[in-house]
C-alpha cells in the first residue's frame, strides 16, 4: 500500500506531492552518484514559479478540519525518506513498505520530526528547539523533515523565530506546515512556502477508507462518514468509540430541550459538564503517567507522596501548568465538537425547510429534525446557526465557556 492511499479524496494534492518526491529522490540519487546538480543558488530545493511539481524547502498544507492535512504531510515525509529498491526500476518513492516509509509514518524515523501540541499555543521556546533541530544534517543522508501539524497555534513570537529558519533553511531541511487556512499563518512565512489546499473528502471516500483501514462494517462506516460530513478523524472516532456516539446523541437532543429559560440553562450546563468529563478522562490517562515519570527522573522517592529533591519544585510546577493548559484545550476542543454537531443538525433542518435534495447528515434523528423544521422558518434556522457560530467565536476569544454556551442556548430558543 503506497503512502498516498490514506490521503483521501485529494487526487490533485497527491499528484503534486508524488511528483515533488520523485524530483527530490532524483536530486539525492544524483548527488550520491557524484553528478553536478543543476545551476542555481539552491538547486536542490528550487521552486518553479510556473507551478510545476518540483521540490522546494517549505510547504504549507491548508484545508478544513478533517481534510487530512497532517496525513498528507506525513505521507510526503515518508515519500522523501523512501529507500525502496523499486525506485531504481522506475517506481515512484513512497512505497509504504520500506524501512524509510514505515518509520516515517509511525513517527520513529530519525530524520522526521512530527510536532503537534495538545496545548493552546506553541511558544518561542519550543520553536527554538525546532529551529535547532532543523539545522542538523540528516543522519540517513536524505532529508531532514520537520512536520508542524499545528502551525496555526504558533504565537507571534514563535512565528518570528520560525521565519528565519524557513527563509534560509539548511540545504537538506524541508518544512511541512499544516494550518486550516493561509490566514492562520504569518504572511512572511506563507510567502516562503508552496501552498497546497486540501478539500473536504467525499463522504463515500471516507466510508471506504474506514472499511479498508479500520475494518469497520460498511453500514456503520457510511453512517459515521455521513454524520461527520467527511471529517476523517471524527468519523473514525464516531465509528469506534461508544462514548463518542453517546455524547453526540445527547447533543442532537438539545434543540428539543430549549423551550424555556430553565431548559436553556440546564442544557448549557450539561454541555460544559460533558466537555469537562472529556478533559478529566484525558488527565486520568496522561497526567498521572507524566507526573510519575518526571518524579522518577528528578530522583524523588517512590510513590506520589515521596519528597522531591531540593531545587526540583520548579520543574514539577512547569509540568502542572502544562497539564492545566492541556486540560483547557481538551475541554474547549470537546465543546467545539459538540457545537459542530449542533450546526449539522440545523443544517439538516434548513435542508428540509428549503426542500433541498441532499441527504441528511443526521438521518437517525430525522423525526427531531422534521419537528423543528415544521415548527420554525428558514430565517429562524439561519439565526440559530449564526448563534452557534457566534458561540464558537466567543470561545476562541477566551470568553467563559458557560457564559458563551448559555447565551447560545437562549438564542436558540428565541430563534
Amino acid at each position: 500500500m503506497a503512502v498516498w492511499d490514506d490521503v483521501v479524496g485529494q487526487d490533485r494534492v497527491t499528484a503534486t506531492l508524488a511528483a515533488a518526491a520523485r524530483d527530490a529522490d532524483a536530486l539525492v540519487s544524483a548527488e550520491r552518484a557524484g553528478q553536478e546538480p543543476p545551476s542555481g543558488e539552491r538547486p536542490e530545493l528550487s521552486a518553479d514559479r510556473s507551478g510545476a511539481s518540483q521540490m522546494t524547502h517549505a510547504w504549507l498544507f491548508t484545508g478544513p478540519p478533517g481534510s487530512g492535512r497532517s496525513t498528507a504531510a506525513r505521507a510526503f515525509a515518508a515519500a522523501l525518506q523512501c529507500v525502496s529498491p523499486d525506485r531504481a526500476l522506475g517506481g515512484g518513492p513512497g512505497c509504504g513498505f520500506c524501512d524509510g516509509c514505515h518509520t516515517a509514518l509511525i513517527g520513529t524515523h530519525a530524520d522526521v520530526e512530527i510536532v503537534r501540541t495538545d496545548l493552546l499555543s506553541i511558544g518561542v521556546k519550543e520553536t527554538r528547539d525546532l529551529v535547532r533541530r532543523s539545522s542538523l544534517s540528516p543522519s540517513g543522508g536524505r532529508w531532514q523533515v520537520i512536520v508542524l501539524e499545528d502551525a496555526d497555534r504558533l504565537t507571534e513570537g514563535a512565528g518570528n523565530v520560525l521565519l528565519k529558519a524557513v527563509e534560509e533553511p539548511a540545504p537538506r531541511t524541508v518544512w511541512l506546515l499544516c494550518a486550516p487556512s493561509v490566514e492562520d499563518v504569518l504572511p512572511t512565512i506563507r510567502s516562503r512556502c508552496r501552498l497546497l489546499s486540501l478539500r473536504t473528502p467525499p463522504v463515500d471516500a471516507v466510508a471506504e477508507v474506514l472499511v479498508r483501514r479500520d475494518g469497520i462494517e460498511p453500514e456503520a462506516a457510511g453512517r459515521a462518514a455521513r454524520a461527520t460530513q467527511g471529517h476523517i478523524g471524527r468519523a473514525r472516532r464516531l465509528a469506534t468509540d461508544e462514548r463518542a456516539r453517546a455524547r453526540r446523541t445527547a447533543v442532537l437532543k438539545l434543540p428539543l430541550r430549549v423551550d424555556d429559560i430553565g431548559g436553556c440553562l440546564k442544557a448549557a450546563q450539561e454541555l460544559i459538564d460533558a466537555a469537562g468529563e472529556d478533559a478529566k478522562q484525558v488527565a486520568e490517562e496522561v497526567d498521572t503517567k507524566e507526573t510519575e515519570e518526571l518524579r522518577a527522573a528528578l530522583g524523588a522517592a517512590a510513590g506520589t507522596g515521596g519528597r522531591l529533591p531540593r531545587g526540583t519544585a520548579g520543574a514539577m510546577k512547569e509540568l502542572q501548568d502544562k497539564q492545566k493548559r492541556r486540560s483547557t484545550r481538551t475541554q474547549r476542543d470537546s465543546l467545539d465538537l459538540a457545537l459542530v454537531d449542533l450546526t449539522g443538525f440545523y443544517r439538516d433542518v434548513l435542508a428540509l425547510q428549503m426542500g433541498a435534495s441532499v441527504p441528511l447528515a443526521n438521518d437517525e434523528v430525522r423525526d427531531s429534525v422534521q419537528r423543528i423544521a415544521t415548527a420554525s422558518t428558514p430565517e429562524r434556522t439561519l439565526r440559530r446557526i449564526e448563534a452557534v457560530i457566534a458561540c464558537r467565536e466567543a470561545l476562541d476569544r477566551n470568553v467563559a465557556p458557560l457564559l458563551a454556551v448559555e447565551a447560545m442556548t437562549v438564542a436558540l430558543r428565541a430563534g
Side-chain angles (χ1 to χ4, degrees):
M1 184 178 71
V3 296
W4 315 112
D5 289 352
D6 285 344
V7 185
V8 181
Q10 314 290 346
D11 294 342
R12 181 185 57 81
V13 169
T14 54
T16 299
L17 294 176
R22 286 194 297 269
D23 288 346
D25 185 63
L27 289 167
V28 173
S29 299
E31 182 176 306
R32 288 182 172 179
Q35 299 176 9
E36 288 293 328
S39 60
E41 183 181 357
R42 288 181 58 79
E44 74 280 7
L45 293 176
S46 61
D48 188 339
R49 294 184 182 275
S50 67
S53 296
Q54 288 184 293
M55 185 58 186
T56 189
H57 68 279
W59 300 74
L60 176 58
F61 297 78
T62 66
S67 57
R69 300 184 302 260
S70 59
T71 301
R74 284 174 175 242
F76 187 38
L80 292 177
Q81 306 294 359
C82 183
V83 293
S84 169
D86 292 342
R87 294 174 297 119
L89 304 176
C95 66
F97 295 101
C98 70
D99 183 67
C101 287
H102 178 69
T103 54
L105 289 174
I106 65 174
T108 59
H109 196 290
D111 295 326
V112 177
E113 179 77 3
I114 298 175
V115 182
R116 70 175 69 85
T117 182
D118 49 12
L119 305 178
L120 295 174
S121 62
I122 299 175
V124 171
K125 179 181 177 182
E126 300 93 323
T127 307
R128 283 178 176 157
D129 291 339
L130 279 182
V131 171
R132 281 192 290 269
R133 166 70 184 262
S134 72
S135 65
L136 301 176
S137 298
S139 60
R142 298 189 69 80
W143 303 97
Q144 181 77 252
V145 184
I146 312 293
V147 181
L148 185 54
E149 294 188 357
D150 299 295
D152 56 306
R153 294 187 181 271
L154 289 167
T155 64
E156 184 175 355
N160 291 329
V161 170
L162 179 64
L163 174 60
K164 189 67 174 177
V166 172
E167 188 174 32
E168 298 178 5
R172 286 292 189 82
T173 295
V174 180
W175 289 89
L176 307 180
L177 311 181
C178 304
S181 69
V182 293
E183 288 77 15
D184 293 313
V185 181
L186 287 177
T188 48
I189 292 179
R190 68 186 187 233
S191 65
R192 289 160 174 80
C193 298
R194 176 170 293 176
L195 175 64
L196 286 179
S197 298
L198 284 72
R199 65 189 181 106
T200 299
V203 169
D204 291 343
V206 173
E208 186 277 329
V209 80
L210 291 179
V211 172
R212 171 174 55 82
R213 186 172 58 186
D214 301 294
I216 298 170
E217 292 295 326
E219 183 178 350
R223 186 164 53 248
R226 187 168 55 253
T228 57
Q229 291 295 287
H231 191 301
I232 302 172
R234 288 180 54 213
R236 180 179 296 110
R237 184 181 181 190
L238 196 62
T240 57
D241 188 345
E242 180 62 36
R243 291 181 302 180
R245 292 194 291 272
R247 282 193 293 270
R248 181 172 179 275
T249 299
V251 169
L252 296 181
K253 292 179 179 178
L254 185 145
L256 299 176
R257 301 177 54 205
V258 291
D259 292 335
D260 53 49
I261 294 298
C264 293
L265 299 182
K266 184 177 180 180
Q269 185 64 61
E270 289 177 359
L271 275 183
I272 297 298
D273 291 344
E277 185 63 28
D278 278 348
K280 181 179 178 181
Q281 289 174 359
V282 171
E284 291 175 350
E285 295 170 1
V286 179
D287 289 4
T288 302
K289 181 180 178 182
E290 282 183 345
T291 301
E292 286 304 308
E293 287 177 349
L294 180 60
R295 291 177 63 86
L298 295 176
T304 56
R307 183 168 183 159
L308 286 169
R310 180 175 298 178
T312 61
M316 186 60 68
K317 178 66 165 57
E318 183 178 351
L319 176 61
Q320 291 170 348
D321 290 342
K322 175 185 174 182
Q323 291 172 342
K324 184 177 180 180
R325 293 194 301 271
R326 179 171 58 206
S327 177
T328 300
R329 178 182 170 182
T330 301
Q331 182 176 10
R332 291 187 180 178
D333 286 350
S334 177
L335 188 55
D336 188 69
L337 183 59
L339 297 179
V340 170
D341 287 332
L342 197 56
T343 305
F345 179 94
Y346 286 114
R347 171 261 190 196
D348 286 347
V349 171
L350 187 62
L352 288 184
Q353 290 173 331
M354 302 300 293
S357 58
V358 295
L360 298 186
N362 304 286
D363 194 60
E364 70 274 20
V365 291
R366 177 180 285 270
D367 290 345
S368 297
V369 172
Q370 184 68 61
R371 178 177 168 183
I372 298 294
T374 303
S376 64
T377 64
E379 291 79 11
R380 294 183 66 187
T381 301
L382 286 172
R383 286 196 293 270
R384 284 165 171 160
I385 292 175
E386 290 171 354
V388 180
I389 294 173
C391 182
R392 297 182 69 189
E393 293 173 347
L395 292 173
D396 283 339
R397 296 193 302 269
N398 291 324
V399 173
L402 183 57
L403 292 178
V405 177
E406 286 178 344
M408 179 198 71
T409 55
V410 171
L412 293 180
R413 174 179 178 267

